[in-house]
Amino acid sequence: MKLHEYQAKQILARAGIPIPDGRLATSPEEAEAAAKAIAAPVAVKAQVHTGGRGKAGGIKVAKSPAEAKAAAGAILGMDIKGLRVDKVYVERAADVASELYLGITLDRDRRRPVVILSTVGGVDIEEVASSRPDAIARGWPSPLLGLLPFEARALVFAAGVAPAQREAVADIARRLYRVYGESDATLVEINPLFVQKNGSVLAGDAKLDIDDNALFRLPELAKLKEVSADEEAEEKARALGFSYVQLDGDVGIIGNGAGLVMATLDAVRNAGGRAANFLDVGGGAKEAVVKAALEIVLSNPRVRSVLINIFGGITRGDEVAKGILDVIQAHPPRVPLVVRLSGTEAEAGRKLLESAPLESRETMDEAAAEAVRLAKVPATA
Amino acid sequence: MKLHEYQAKQILARAGIPIPDGRLATSPEEAEAAAKAIAAPVAVKAQVHTGGRGKAGGIKVAKSPAEAKAAAGAILGMDIKGLRVDKVYVERAADVASELYLGITLDRDRRRPVVILSTVGGVDIEEVASSRPDAIARGWPSPLLGLLPFEARALVFAAGVAPAQREAVADIARRLYRVYGESDATLVEINPLFVQKNGSVLAGDAKLDIDDNALFRLPELAKLKEVSADEEAEEKARALGFSYVQLDGDVGIIGNGAGLVMATLDAVRNAGGRAANFLDVGGGAKEAVVKAALEIVLSNPRVRSVLINIFGGITRGDEVAKGILDVIQAHPPRVPLVVRLSGTEAEAGRKLLESAPLESRETMDEAAAEAVRLAKVPATA
Amino acid sequence: MSVLLGRDTRVIVQGLGREGRFHAERMKEYGTKVVGATKPGAGGTSIDGIPIFDTVAAAVDETGANASIVFVPAPAAMDALLEAIDAQIDLVIAITEGIPIADMLKVAAVLETAATTLVGPNGPGAITPGQSKIGIMPAENFSPGGVGFVSRSGTLTYEIADLLTRAGLGQSTCIGVGGDPVVGLPTPGAVRLLNEDPETEAIVIVGEIGGSAEERAAEYMRSEGKKPAVAFIAGRSAPPGKRMGHAGAIVSGNQGTAESKVRAFEEAGIPVANAPSEIPGLVKKALRHS
Amino acid sequence: MSVLLGRDTRVIVQGLGREGRFHAERMKEYGTKVVGATKPGAGGTSIDGIPIFDTVAAAVDETGANASIVFVPAPAAMDALLEAIDAQIDLVIAITEGIPIADMLKVAAVLETAATTLVGPNGPGAITPGQSKIGIMPAENFSPGGVGFVSRSGTLTYEIADLLTRAGLGQSTCIGVGGDPVVGLPTPGAVRLLNEDPETEAIVIVGEIGGSAEERAAEYMRSEGKKPAVAFIAGRSAPPGKRMGHAGAIVSGNQGTAESKVRAFEEAGIPVANAPSEIPGLVKKALRHS
């Protein structure tokens, strides 16, 4: 789950990390009032769950309340990477001398959090990592002890932070680590971390992604969840206990198990087609689940055929077959179905499907080839 | 640093541990009003920094506000183990079915906290530990992970807590561990932990001792510090950077280093005398410190001779000698002084003391014998 | 036994709910020695003929269990894992899905100095066909033999085991390492076990996009490999930034791409199958040439 | 070297304040190889001829230090100790007084699986007379020889070393384990080191009231002792419930009494001196009878 900049900054501020004075606005008038209250040049910043808003024109500097109003007018309603801007954050413009990068995420190989600090801030850190690896300092605190003062100091020295900012940056790193831990973050990032001309240090932007699996113990953060239009189907699927990702092809995919579904997507590509989605019904999929999954996949207008690939373990082939029969009897699907059942009770399932209006195949490769072929047949009726 | 029951209970309540409704009172009238507000039978309990107040008559049950007033009148002003009672805690009387013991302290041998749970509560746990060791369950959580749910469950099973209270007691144990960690406690204890007739569990008493060395990071707790009359000299010494403990003999002792001072006390006893105090001036003792130490020791009217035993390491013998000379020149002491200097610059120090009105000895044993002898000489003038 | 588990492995079940009971029954049918289960407060009773204990320590004391399978729901799973590690169980297999990453990081930190091997979470478990199964895999797809098999996926594991079995390629031990970003025994460690196992003749490594476990496994095999290996990577057609079901299956930036993994295996001289169906043929070919 | 430290020990100083500088100078005078010190932000400079580094890791990298002495004030001491342990320094000696117990419990937990031996905190350090001194003890009271010496006290250590030296009993290594309730190397561990050291002929154990380290050391010597030992317990005249300066020196309830410690030593056949002045005679007697 992603938070907006203004939400992330509130959390940083509560942890004692300095942020610029700022206010949220949902209309040009509110933005004007905010700029008036701040009484200084401001930045008006689109609040959307995506990166690259700067390049897309989602950030404008305004020297007066009137300019802030105009800027908000231009930004609100804007479309950034498919997301509509409904809110802007109006923030006192910093007096920037230099920019740093500070972030914490998971290092999967070391199975530890990794704290990343660089004196090259305000840019794509992955780019810096590959072009100037020496400009990046990393530290791997123990999750049992947190980021210790000596570790924060080591980072500051290794990154080459200027002497005047060392203490402040080390302190912010330790506070940011506390935010990371306390909010079950998968990523927390201050980029840029401003050094102002007077020497003070201040979070220029903030990014905070929360581990969805931990939301059950983070009631305050869970309230901040926002679902954008294009994520609705994914959210609906999640609520039903399976995972769905929309893609841009025309072969709808349903399978059980993330690896198997990925392999099915690959098989469709191997057969010269393109998958319309990823949909994993998970373990122990029952009739009702299969039904709901079919409905979600068919709700995508691009879908021209559906491939159902189930390898039974906990999931039973006969139950899956019943689910398929049920849904196609109640709502005959607008596109052809290809089903491949294997594993537990697969034979019983295949028998149930024998007389149904669908294609049944024994192997994943065959089923994928058939689904791709059918998606290319011009629509009739 | 010890907290009062009412202070400890507030901290437990904040951590989510159930406590009876209660109010502090410093007069019989306040106690009456408190009992009226609680509107039920109450216990009126002396708030003093010592155990055994129950046996001393410091706890009375009152069935009405009038009885509470009378009880408070009897308890306030009472002397319990040399401590005057200035405050009583008026608390709703629990409907007790049984009593447990729950405490957390340091296990020095294992270098871990130890959580102790027993179904034999309300009594001296050390007595239970020696008479019925099987009635006590212990757990040693890692200080890096805290008391984990499975560890709390294991304790509850091992102690034989009744099924109906297992969950509540395990939960209280985990909350109590959090109090232990967050308040840098050296001891936290709920004794008794009441099981009421309706099955609910509730802290009957609470004890919380804080690590003095951690008070620098516990500003809220540090404010609760109270110094009783008989601890004043010890507090004064602590403020000066050395440690002082009053004892009941007549030979005043000053030394540097806790072990050496203890050995000096022992040497005095070996010579047939009794030490009036323990006073360790610590490392690197300078003139001013020695002076202040002498003043503190001489302020004890029981002192009939003073033995100064300094083995120089960081502490220099000549500086100690100067301090002694200074203070006896300004205020000729009312009792004889015996000085033993050894180690760094000891010879220079002994030379400085040659013409002073005091006894100088080369060894600890000789010095102790002389100090004991002088304490027994009847006072002249 | 091949690695991790065999005829003498004695298993307890942590979390004997609906799913736990179902799979405990299947494991017993397979011949796995299921010697007990934990259910706090029910100690002393038995469920489906399995003796119940209040704590893992008590279960280990009384049954001599040396393995555990964990079905405990995600919010309480860290506690269950730490309880098993604390009881010094040799092998812990975690089936649970959806454990918070922070919890698994703590578990991983404790594992650094513990005697326990944790397989999973969010995997199907492990099986030494013909001897012992500790997991949720349908046993009929597996058969005893010499192919060691490591996979990050569940059903894909069954699919590939089925293909291997049909091709006459039995398996020594199959290890489902789990699909989460933080697992107890990651792919490289599992591959090392099989590489050093005298009963394993060839290794199949089934990876997926996300992370760099496959690259590290390839690197390890390049320098230490003693036997032929074949790889498959699921998610070659997945676009970056989209999480493919498994919390670990995501390409972010230039991290975790299928291309990087395929290249790493090829550089290590390990052929990479384009589809699961190609795996048995590649294994046979590799065994012929070794 | 005897144990812990010797001619080849290379020391860095953590916390080069007034006290640290004073004692660094004394150590150098004694011949201890003081190869560096840490002072964040002053890396690259030097103080009193000692090269300064920003971090312990940098100091170790550039000087090959294998020991450290910590003078860092109590509030920052845990961090300094963990930094030294993280840099895998073999021997860390902590002089600092007043470290919160909770901090030392964390350090102790980290030490459980670390390669470092921590001596202290709140002790005088350790010395192998004639070779190396890492501590604050006045060197002139010590002399090389065969008596290993463990003590919880500071100045009492100097007093007893002085008595031994005057009696012609030189010391192999003297270890001041520290007066806090939680120390890195408690008395039993220090006694074990000396018991297993071929250069140590007899052991002097100086304990004090509080805790049960002396009882455990006596128990160890009773079953594993290879050489004669003599003990002394400070605080025999201390009343219960009063803390005698050291945070660890307190008799609470029936825990930590001098009687219990004396009895333990006597049961282990170890004579207990009534006063420090008796120690040299008892050592000589013990050596004659062994």
Side-chain angles (χ1 to χ4, degrees), chain C residues 183-214:
Chain C
V183 293
L185 179 72
T187 300
V191 168
R192 175 186 292 268
L193 287 177
L194 295 172
N195 186 44
E196 288 172 357
D197 169 37
E199 292 176 36
T200 295
E201 292 154 22
I203 303 173
V204 172
I205 305 167
V206 177
E208 57 186 41
I209 52 163
S212 62
E214 291 78 6

Short mmCIF file of all heavy atoms in Angstrom, two decimals, chain C residues 183-214:
data_model
loop_
_atom_site.label_atom_id
_atom_site.label_comp_id
_atom_site.label_asym_id
_atom_site.label_seq_id
_atom_site.Cartn_x
_atom_site.Cartn_y
_atom_site.Cartn_z
N VAL C 183 12.70 -15.83 2.93
CA VAL C 183 12.40 -17.22 3.29
C VAL C 183 13.57 -17.77 4.11
O VAL C 183 14.67 -17.21 4.09
CB VAL C 183 12.15 -18.11 2.05
CG1 VAL C 183 10.87 -17.70 1.34
CG2 VAL C 183 13.34 -18.08 1.12
N GLY C 184 13.29 -18.86 4.81
CA GLY C 184 14.32 -19.44 5.69
C GLY C 184 15.48 -20.03 4.92
O GLY C 184 16.65 -19.74 5.20
N LEU C 185 15.16 -20.89 3.97
CA LEU C 185 16.19 -21.54 3.16
C LEU C 185 16.00 -21.07 1.73
O LEU C 185 15.15 -21.58 1.01
CB LEU C 185 16.03 -23.07 3.23
CG LEU C 185 17.01 -23.90 2.41
CD1 LEU C 185 18.40 -23.87 3.03
CD2 LEU C 185 16.53 -25.35 2.29
N PRO C 186 16.74 -20.08 1.28
CA PRO C 186 16.54 -19.58 -0.07
C PRO C 186 17.11 -20.56 -1.10
O PRO C 186 17.83 -21.49 -0.75
CB PRO C 186 17.33 -18.27 -0.10
CG PRO C 186 17.81 -18.03 1.30
CD PRO C 186 17.80 -19.36 1.98
N THR C 187 16.78 -20.34 -2.35
CA THR C 187 17.18 -21.23 -3.44
C THR C 187 18.66 -21.63 -3.39
O THR C 187 18.97 -22.82 -3.48
CB THR C 187 16.82 -20.59 -4.80
OG1 THR C 187 15.39 -20.41 -4.80
CG2 THR C 187 17.21 -21.48 -5.96
N PRO C 188 19.61 -20.69 -3.21
CA PRO C 188 21.01 -21.12 -3.25
C PRO C 188 21.34 -22.15 -2.16
O PRO C 188 22.07 -23.11 -2.43
CB PRO C 188 21.79 -19.82 -3.02
CG PRO C 188 20.85 -18.73 -3.36
CD PRO C 188 19.47 -19.23 -3.06
N GLY C 189 20.79 -21.95 -0.97
CA GLY C 189 21.05 -22.89 0.12
C GLY C 189 20.45 -24.26 -0.16
O GLY C 189 21.06 -25.30 0.13
N ALA C 190 19.26 -24.27 -0.76
CA ALA C 190 18.60 -25.54 -1.08
C ALA C 190 19.39 -26.26 -2.18
O ALA C 190 19.58 -27.48 -2.13
CB ALA C 190 17.16 -25.28 -1.52
N VAL C 191 19.88 -25.51 -3.15
CA VAL C 191 20.68 -26.10 -4.23
C VAL C 191 21.97 -26.69 -3.66
O VAL C 191 22.39 -27.78 -4.02
CB VAL C 191 20.98 -25.04 -5.32
CG1 VAL C 191 22.05 -25.55 -6.28
CG2 VAL C 191 19.70 -24.67 -6.06
N ARG C 192 22.56 -25.99 -2.71
CA ARG C 192 23.79 -26.49 -2.08
C ARG C 192 23.54 -27.85 -1.41
O ARG C 192 24.34 -28.78 -1.56
CB ARG C 192 24.30 -25.48 -1.06
CG ARG C 192 25.52 -25.95 -0.27
CD ARG C 192 25.88 -24.96 0.84
NE ARG C 192 26.36 -23.71 0.27
CZ ARG C 192 27.65 -23.45 0.02
NH1 ARG C 192 28.56 -24.37 0.31
NH2 ARG C 192 28.03 -22.30 -0.49
N LEU C 193 22.43 -27.96 -0.69
CA LEU C 193 22.10 -29.23 -0.03
C LEU C 193 22.06 -30.37 -1.05
O LEU C 193 22.61 -31.45 -0.83
CB LEU C 193 20.74 -29.14 0.67
CG LEU C 193 20.64 -28.32 1.95
CD1 LEU C 193 19.19 -28.30 2.44
CD2 LEU C 193 21.55 -28.89 3.03
N LEU C 194 21.39 -30.13 -2.16
CA LEU C 194 21.23 -31.18 -3.17
C LEU C 194 22.56 -31.46 -3.87
O LEU C 194 22.87 -32.60 -4.19
CB LEU C 194 20.16 -30.77 -4.18
CG LEU C 194 18.75 -30.66 -3.60
CD1 LEU C 194 17.79 -30.06 -4.61
CD2 LEU C 194 18.25 -32.03 -3.13
N ASN C 195 23.33 -30.41 -4.09
CA ASN C 195 24.62 -30.58 -4.75
C ASN C 195 25.55 -31.46 -3.91
O ASN C 195 26.36 -32.21 -4.44
CB ASN C 195 25.25 -29.21 -4.99
CG ASN C 195 26.53 -29.28 -5.81
OD1 ASN C 195 26.58 -30.01 -6.81
ND2 ASN C 195 27.54 -28.53 -5.40
N GLU C 196 25.39 -31.35 -2.61
CA GLU C 196 26.28 -32.12 -1.73
C GLU C 196 25.66 -33.44 -1.31
O GLU C 196 26.26 -34.18 -0.52
CB GLU C 196 26.62 -31.27 -0.50
CG GLU C 196 27.57 -30.14 -0.89
CD GLU C 196 27.82 -29.14 0.23
OE1 GLU C 196 27.22 -29.29 1.31
OE2 GLU C 196 28.61 -28.21 -0.01
N ASP C 197 24.49 -33.75 -1.81
CA ASP C 197 23.79 -34.98 -1.43
C ASP C 197 24.20 -36.12 -2.36
O ASP C 197 24.00 -36.05 -3.57
CB ASP C 197 22.28 -34.73 -1.53
CG ASP C 197 21.50 -36.03 -1.41
OD1 ASP C 197 21.92 -36.89 -0.63
OD2 ASP C 197 20.47 -36.17 -2.12
N PRO C 198 24.79 -37.20 -1.82
CA PRO C 198 25.24 -38.28 -2.69
C PRO C 198 24.10 -38.98 -3.44
O PRO C 198 24.35 -39.60 -4.47
CB PRO C 198 25.94 -39.25 -1.72
CG PRO C 198 25.57 -38.83 -0.36
CD PRO C 198 25.12 -37.42 -0.41
N GLU C 199 22.88 -38.86 -2.93
CA GLU C 199 21.78 -39.55 -3.59
C GLU C 199 21.13 -38.74 -4.71
O GLU C 199 20.22 -39.22 -5.38
CB GLU C 199 20.73 -39.96 -2.55
CG GLU C 199 21.28 -41.05 -1.63
CD GLU C 199 20.33 -41.43 -0.52
OE1 GLU C 199 19.11 -41.45 -0.77
OE2 GLU C 199 20.79 -41.69 0.60
N THR C 200 21.58 -37.53 -4.89
CA THR C 200 21.02 -36.69 -5.94
C THR C 200 21.96 -36.72 -7.15
O THR C 200 23.16 -36.46 -7.01
CB THR C 200 20.85 -35.24 -5.44
OG1 THR C 200 19.86 -35.25 -4.40
CG2 THR C 200 20.40 -34.30 -6.55
N GLU C 201 21.40 -37.05 -8.33
CA GLU C 201 22.23 -37.17 -9.54
C GLU C 201 22.16 -35.94 -10.43
O GLU C 201 23.08 -35.63 -11.18
CB GLU C 201 21.78 -38.39 -10.35
CG GLU C 201 22.07 -39.71 -9.66
CD GLU C 201 21.12 -40.80 -10.10
OE1 GLU C 201 20.52 -40.69 -11.20
OE2 GLU C 201 20.94 -41.76 -9.33
N ALA C 202 21.03 -35.26 -10.38
CA ALA C 202 20.85 -34.04 -11.18
C ALA C 202 19.94 -33.11 -10.41
O ALA C 202 19.17 -33.55 -9.55
CB ALA C 202 20.25 -34.38 -12.54
N ILE C 203 20.04 -31.83 -10.72
CA ILE C 203 19.26 -30.84 -9.97
C ILE C 203 18.39 -30.04 -10.93
O ILE C 203 18.86 -29.60 -11.99
CB ILE C 203 20.20 -29.87 -9.20
CG1 ILE C 203 21.12 -30.68 -8.27
CG2 ILE C 203 19.40 -28.84 -8.42
CD1 ILE C 203 22.20 -29.85 -7.60
N VAL C 204 17.12 -29.88 -10.56
CA VAL C 204 16.23 -28.98 -11.30
C VAL C 204 15.96 -27.77 -10.43
O VAL C 204 15.58 -27.91 -9.27
CB VAL C 204 14.90 -29.69 -11.67
CG1 VAL C 204 13.92 -28.69 -12.27
CG2 VAL C 204 15.16 -30.82 -12.64
N ILE C 205 16.20 -26.60 -10.99
CA ILE C 205 16.03 -25.36 -10.24
C ILE C 205 14.91 -24.57 -10.90
O ILE C 205 15.04 -24.14 -12.05
CB ILE C 205 17.31 -24.51 -10.25
CG1 ILE C 205 18.50 -25.34 -9.72
CG2 ILE C 205 17.13 -23.23 -9.43
CD1 ILE C 205 19.85 -24.69 -9.99
N VAL C 206 13.80 -24.41 -10.19
CA VAL C 206 12.67 -23.66 -10.73
C VAL C 206 12.59 -22.32 -10.01
O VAL C 206 12.29 -22.25 -8.82
CB VAL C 206 11.35 -24.44 -10.57
CG1 VAL C 206 10.19 -23.61 -11.08
CG2 VAL C 206 11.45 -25.75 -11.33
N GLY C 207 12.92 -21.28 -10.74
CA GLY C 207 12.90 -19.95 -10.15
C GLY C 207 11.74 -19.15 -10.70
O GLY C 207 10.90 -19.65 -11.45
N GLU C 208 11.69 -17.91 -10.29
CA GLU C 208 10.71 -16.99 -10.86
C GLU C 208 11.28 -15.59 -10.79
O GLU C 208 12.35 -15.38 -10.19
CB GLU C 208 9.36 -17.12 -10.15
CG GLU C 208 9.40 -16.89 -8.66
CD GLU C 208 8.06 -17.18 -7.95
OE1 GLU C 208 7.39 -18.16 -8.29
OE2 GLU C 208 7.69 -16.40 -7.06
N ILE C 209 10.60 -14.65 -11.43
CA ILE C 209 11.09 -13.27 -11.41
C ILE C 209 11.12 -12.73 -9.98
O ILE C 209 10.43 -13.23 -9.10
CB ILE C 209 10.21 -12.36 -12.29
CG1 ILE C 209 8.73 -12.53 -11.88
CG2 ILE C 209 10.41 -12.66 -13.76
CD1 ILE C 209 7.84 -11.41 -12.39
N GLY C 210 11.96 -11.70 -9.77
CA GLY C 210 12.06 -11.07 -8.45
C GLY C 210 13.27 -11.57 -7.70
O GLY C 210 13.61 -12.74 -7.74
N GLY C 211 13.94 -10.63 -7.01
CA GLY C 211 15.10 -11.01 -6.21
C GLY C 211 16.26 -11.48 -7.05
O GLY C 211 16.27 -11.31 -8.28
N SER C 212 17.26 -12.05 -6.40
CA SER C 212 18.41 -12.53 -7.16
C SER C 212 18.86 -13.89 -6.65
O SER C 212 20.02 -14.25 -6.78
CB SER C 212 19.55 -11.52 -7.10
OG SER C 212 19.97 -11.37 -5.76
N ALA C 213 17.92 -14.64 -6.07
CA ALA C 213 18.27 -15.96 -5.54
C ALA C 213 18.77 -16.87 -6.65
O ALA C 213 19.71 -17.64 -6.46
CB ALA C 213 17.06 -16.58 -4.85
N GLU C 214 18.16 -16.78 -7.84
CA GLU C 214 18.56 -17.65 -8.94
C GLU C 214 19.97 -17.31 -9.40
O GLU C 214 20.77 -18.20 -9.68
CB GLU C 214 17.58 -17.51 -10.11
CG GLU C 214 16.19 -18.08 -9.83
CD GLU C 214 15.31 -17.18 -8.97
OE1 GLU C 214 15.73 -16.04 -8.67
OE2 GLU C 214 14.22 -17.62 -8.59
#
